[in-house]
Amino acid sequence: MKMLINALPYLFLALFLGLTSCKDDETNGEEMSSEDCTDLASVFTIALTTEGCNVDIANNLGTTSNYSESVSGGTRTISFNSIPNHLVGTFPNSGNPNTISEQNNTFQMTTSPSLASNVTIAQGWIQGILFSGVTVDIYTAEFFTGSSGMVNMQWNRNTLQNVDDLGLDCNNAHVQPTGKYHYHGIPNAYGDALGVDGTEMVKIGYAADGVPVYYLYYEDDNGNIVEAQASYELKSGSRGGDGITAPNGCYDGEYFQDYEYVADSGNLDACNGRTGPTPDALNGEYYYVITNDFPSGPLCFSGTPNSSFQLGGN
């Protein structure tokens, strides 16, 4: 299917992430200029190896990982239990006090995805489900909290950072209080179990809009398999907040809003997707890629997500 995305939909994503340059904010200009951000050290961090993942959680729980799907009338129905079919880290741990437990979920999506006229911001949604039986949840439910205790939900804390220990394992995953194990970044042990070696494209699941999800590599215009790179960069300068009602300090990657989409800085669009040939569609289709850099997965949906993926809707 032919999929062309114009620039307009991404304006909505830009507004959501607060991508307007701080240099244009005359109100906070003096406050922002006082911050020296020339030698910025990014706090972004992401596990790139399987080190530390040695727990066979399905065996420990005396259960099996479950992922099953059926197709009827253009709808794909997926049932899963959030027990990964690969090794995981130890939970609870110092940064995550929760214990993995079996979850029973059913999601639905279209089998014929197409691009919508506008992208849908993925916050408030589960981004996708992988064949491992585990969901992709890029966003967090954590926001800037000032010294007064006021929460500013315009500043969403990024999981892939080293300011706070959130107990992520080698799969850039951890556990919710409900016991749900979920990914915030690339699942290294799953890729290792699949034998991903960069010689071919490997489909690992579906996003909420029915678009396929691939692991790290894609086929370029010359037929070469190359590593995908997201098109996000840290903003320059200071956030300009007062540290009480909004965060101050340099844009360093602690918040999603520290980043901006820069077209063509990588080889993926603002939703971490692209159009090209895949093993399932030699003439090309639109797909997402899980990457080793920010944001690692889709921050938005280029198609129309099924409501079963909406938080609180399943």
Side-chain angles (χ1 to χ4, degrees):
M1 53 188 167
K2 185 177 181 181
M3 300 191 176
L4 300 176
I5 304 180
N6 58 37
L8 181 60
Y10 294 116
L11 294 179
F12 294 95
L13 183 65
L15 290 172
F16 173 77
L17 289 177
L19 301 187
T20 304
S21 171
C22 65
K23 296 177 182 178
D24 296 330
D25 191 333
E26 296 179 1
T27 303
N28 292 324
E30 181 178 347
E31 186 174 5
M32 286 186 253
S33 63
S34 65
E35 199 88 42
D36 182 7
C37 300
T38 54
D39 295 320
L40 172 71
S42 172
V43 300
F44 176 79
T45 185
I46 188 169
L48 300 177
T49 72
T50 60
E51 183 179 357
C53 285
N54 50 24
V55 176
D56 183 341
I57 189 62
N59 181 67
N60 284 9
L61 294 176
T63 186
T64 58
S65 173
N66 174 56
Y67 174 99
S68 62
E69 61 177 78
S70 60
V71 174
S72 176
T75 298
R76 175 177 286 108
T77 299
I78 297 174
S79 297
F80 62 99
N81 64 358
S82 295
I83 300 299
N85 64 357
H86 55 73
L87 296 177
V88 303
T90 299
F91 294 97
N93 59 43
S94 60
N96 188 271
N98 306 315
T99 300
I100 297 174
S101 64
E102 193 167 0
Q103 316 284 308
N104 293 309
N105 296 282
T106 300
F107 286 164
Q108 291 185 320
M109 66 191 69
T110 179
T111 58
S112 302
S114 59
L115 295 189
S117 56
N118 292 317
V119 301
T120 299
I121 303 304
Q123 188 175 39
W125 297 77
I126 293 169
Q127 283 75 61
I129 172 65
L130 303 191
F131 302 142
S132 61
V134 176
T135 60
V136 177
D137 296 53
I138 301 299
Y139 286 99
T140 68
E142 298 181 5
F143 304 90
F144 171 80
T145 303
S147 57
S148 65
M150 189 193 80
V151 176
N152 186 338
M153 297 186 70
Q154 294 183 359
W155 291 88
N156 190 193
R157 295 180 68 86
N158 178 21
T159 308
L160 302 176
Q161 43 80 21
N162 60 22
V163 177
D164 301 306
D165 178 11
L166 298 179
L168 298 174
D169 67 5
C170 82
N171 298 301
N172 298 290
H174 59 186
V175 187
Q176 293 177 354
T178 60
K180 177 190 171 185
Y181 181 82
H182 59 285
Y183 306 123
H184 283 278
I186 192 162
N188 293 292
Y190 184 40
D192 188 63
L194 292 174
V196 176
D197 61 4
T199 62
E200 61 182 351
M201 292 183 65
V202 179
K203 186 167 76 172
I204 55 175
Y206 296 100
D209 54 5
V211 171
V213 178
Y214 281 81
Y215 191 101
L216 191 57
Y217 301 100
Y218 75 96
E219 182 179 331
D220 68 11
D221 294 337
N222 298 316
N224 300 314
I225 302 298
V226 297
E227 183 175 326
Q229 303 290 330
S231 298
Y232 281 84
E233 296 181 357
L234 282 175
K235 299 177 189 178
S236 59
S238 169
R239 302 184 187 106
D242 57 11
I244 300 172
T245 61
N248 53 8
C250 302
Y251 294 115
D252 60 4
E254 184 176 353
Y255 298 90
F256 282 90
Q257 290 73 24
D258 288 351
Y259 293 89
E260 60 185 336
Y261 170 64
V262 180
D264 300 323
S265 60
N267 39 44
L268 302 176
D269 65 22
C271 296
N272 246 40
R274 68 184 313 276
T275 299
T278 68
D280 290 340
L282 298 181
N283 292 326
E285 65 176 337
Y286 184 82
Y287 56 91
Y288 301 117
V289 186
I290 302 294
T291 61
N292 277 334
D293 50 8
F294 179 88
S296 193
L299 291 183
C300 54
F301 302 114
S302 295
T304 303
N306 187 282
S307 60
S308 62
F309 282 81
Q310 195 163 19
L311 294 176
N314 189 353

